[in-house]
Amino acid sequence: MRVTEPILAVVVIALAAFVATQSTVYSGNVESAQSGTIAAVVPAEGDPDMTAPRGTLNAGRATGRVAPRTEYVLDIPRDAPLPPSDMRRRIAAGASGTYMSQLLLARDSVLTRWPDRLLTPLRVWVGDGGMHEGWDTLFPTLVRDAFDEWSQSGVPVRFTYVRDSSSADVRVRFVQGFSEGISGRTIWSRDSAWWLVGANIELALTHAGGTRVTRDQMSAIALHEVGHLLGLDHVDDPSHIMAPRVRVRTLSEADRATVRLLYSVPAGSLR
Ligand SMILES: [Zn+2]
């Protein structure tokens, strides 16, 4: 566990090094860089019919990978790890009203999250999809609103929006569509102590059947993918934004409570 002293100069230098490495990493084939350590390569779930009567949206499962060591040597300060018994005690004490038990099942009892980013907000770059069919100039605003809605749920993470993708911690790209019958996908990377260090989100403009993604649907899928970005996984109950087939359009109280509980402990294993 490396802990960098929170001296501003150090942090600034660290960020520069971090970003340089990130852009190198992401210029490669991120899809093939998934880790086998985290329940990583999970196929997208079933129903490719995006125009289902109930407005169901199929969201892609988040996948993760271990970042190369150079990515996290110099980075934002992190909380010290907690012994698994302390992690279990804290999680159990706050589990009421959350779907933390399903998150732990999905992630093999390991919690991944970002280090606190209140003082140095996560830098988010949202791309332009103007070259694609179905583009709506309001989409970037809807995506930023989704980030901000999560940020206001009580997590110690703030977001700032940058114009240069090479200086971003999180990159959001609009794509025409996915062949797997999904509408969004998040791929994050983490360090060896389970702290998240970077993420790419892709959002589709057309569903598998060819119909265009509406503004409501874009908002919902963006909320779902930002939930993955923060460290959440899928929950069976469709009344939450983190259901694999998204039916709701806003965060539920359990969505908020679960992410708050996740951020009440350091990243790490409960086993
Ligand atoms: Zn998902």
Side-chain angles (χ1 to χ4, degrees), residues 59-62 224-225 228 234 242-244:
R61 184 129 198 169
H224 179 98
E225 299 305 328
H228 283 314
H234 287 158
M242 294 314 294

